[in-house]
Amino acid sequence: PILLMFRQNAKRIARSLLASTSKGSNAVPPFSNPPTMIQAMHTTHRARRFASKSSKKRPHSESEILAMIRSQIAIPVPSDIPDGTNNIDDIPEGVLYGEFNDPTAERHLETQTKEEKEIIEELRALVLEREEPRAEDRLPPLEHFYQDAKSLEKEKRQEREKIKQMEQTMNRVKKIDRFGGSVGTGKRKTAVAQVRIVPAKGSKAGDEEETEEEEEVFGEIVINGKPLDEYFQDVSLRQHVLAPFAATNTLGLFDVRVLVHGGGLSGQSQAARLGVARSLQNYDPAFRAQLKPLGFLTRDSRIVERKKPGLKKARKAFQWVKR
């Protein structure tokens, strides 16, 4: 096929040669040597290769493409062209037309209003007057502007929680019976303690025969009809009951009556501590601020885990022997 194409191109070139020589004896043939003829054949083959396949369309020449581009682009009339034509060829090479951007800092003021310009001038005057700006005139650090959205949401949530807690504190009222006492129930493990506190009498009359002075009497703590030191002989267990009074600085100011049942001594003492703390909160809601951070108003929900079938205890298994 290449040889056939070469022959067809050669015939075409020969016909054009004959047509040019037949016009006159002085006519110069287009190709005067064979190498130029072969180069023209290759060029024709390459042009036909990249030409459109449609017979109705033909490839545009370079001049036609430039004319189309010039017709589509609106070329501004430069002031340096004397004729004022829109021909791009009239513009000298290496010459740029147009206006450069203003390199000065005042270009930013073009879009500002009069009020904004006045404010900028005042700020500039303040800066020029002082060498070092004062602390209140300085801008906040960049960390203030680039705070994460999550941290902002967290702060808002904390503020809402604080407001909610303040509202709950304001809504709490004293719960005192007609005898001036308050009650509270505490639980720990399987022990349940019912506590009632009453303000202790500030003084007690002494014997008239010895002295007429009044002796100070501290509040009594009775648990199941027995004094505190008799019912809880261990010092650590007594400290559980006295801890809420020590936190609120009210040791000896109340008479305490406790009825407790279930569990052991450790569970009963901690149940009594929760009951005493709740009764103090009911007597005066202001005590909550001292009791809550120490955990005296929190119910400890830990209990013994139940035994599982097939195991010795909750998790302990029987000894297993392979043989």
Side-chain angles (χ1 to χ4, degrees), residues 89-241:
D89 296 332
D90 297 337
I91 301 175
E93 294 184 0
V95 179
L96 297 176
Y97 291 92
E99 295 181 358
F100 290 100
N101 291 331
D102 188 5
T104 61
E106 295 181 355
R107 68 180 184 275
H108 301 289
L109 301 176
E110 295 178 357
T111 58
Q112 306 294 334
T113 60
K114 292 183 179 179
E115 297 178 356
E116 293 174 347
K117 289 181 181 179
E118 292 177 358
I119 294 171
I120 292 172
E121 290 296 333
E122 292 177 0
L123 291 174
R124 186 183 297 175
L126 289 174
V127 172
L128 293 175
E129 287 178 3
R130 301 196 200 96
E131 295 181 356
E132 294 184 0
R134 294 178 298 181
E136 56 268 17
D137 294 339
R138 292 176 181 173
L139 293 174
L142 290 176
E143 297 177 357
H144 179 76
F145 297 101
Y146 292 102
Q147 280 185 344
D148 194 11
K150 293 183 179 179
S151 62
L152 295 176
E153 291 179 1
K154 186 177 180 180
E155 292 179 0
K156 292 181 181 179
R157 186 165 58 251
Q158 290 177 353
E159 291 178 359
R160 289 196 298 268
E161 290 293 334
K162 288 182 181 179
I163 295 172
K164 188 176 180 181
Q165 290 179 3
M166 292 294 293
E167 291 178 354
Q168 290 179 355
T169 304
M170 295 298 293
N171 292 333
R172 289 191 183 94
V173 295
K174 295 183 179 181
K175 298 179 181 179
I176 300 175
D177 56 14
R178 59 179 181 174
F179 300 106
S182 61
V183 296
T185 303
K187 295 181 181 180
R188 176 72 173 97
K189 297 181 181 179
T190 58
V192 181
Q194 295 178 352
V195 182
R196 185 174 186 274
I197 60 173
V198 180
K201 295 180 180 180
S203 61
K204 184 178 180 181
D207 296 337
E208 295 179 358
E209 298 177 357
E210 295 178 357
T211 57
E212 296 181 357
E213 296 179 358
E214 295 180 352
E215 296 180 359
E216 187 177 359
V217 176
F218 294 98
E220 297 178 351
I221 300 177
V222 178
I223 300 174
N224 289 345
K226 296 181 181 180
L228 176 64
D229 53 351
E230 291 185 9
Y231 194 85
F232 294 124
Q233 297 182 2
D234 193 353
V235 178
S236 61
L237 301 181
R238 299 177 198 169
Q239 290 177 352
H240 289 163
V241 182

Side-chain angles (χ1 to χ4, degrees), residues 255-319:
D255 290 332
V256 184
R257 297 292 182 270
V258 181
L259 296 177
V260 60
H261 61 86
L265 293 178
S266 177
Q268 288 182 356
S269 64
Q270 295 181 31
R273 180 182 65 186
L274 179 60
V276 170
R278 287 180 174 176
S279 60
L280 284 172
Q281 178 183 341
N282 293 334
Y283 184 82
D284 189 357
F287 290 148
R288 181 181 175 84
Q290 292 84 23
L291 297 171
K292 184 66 177 177
L294 299 176
F296 293 155
L297 294 174
T298 304
R299 163 76 160 96
D300 194 349
S301 60
R302 295 176 296 172
I303 59 174
V304 178
E305 190 175 349
R306 66 175 290 273
K307 182 185 178 303
K308 310 298 188 308
L311 299 180
K312 191 172 184 180
K313 293 197 298 183
R315 301 190 183 187
K316 184 178 180 181
F318 292 102
Q319 185 176 2

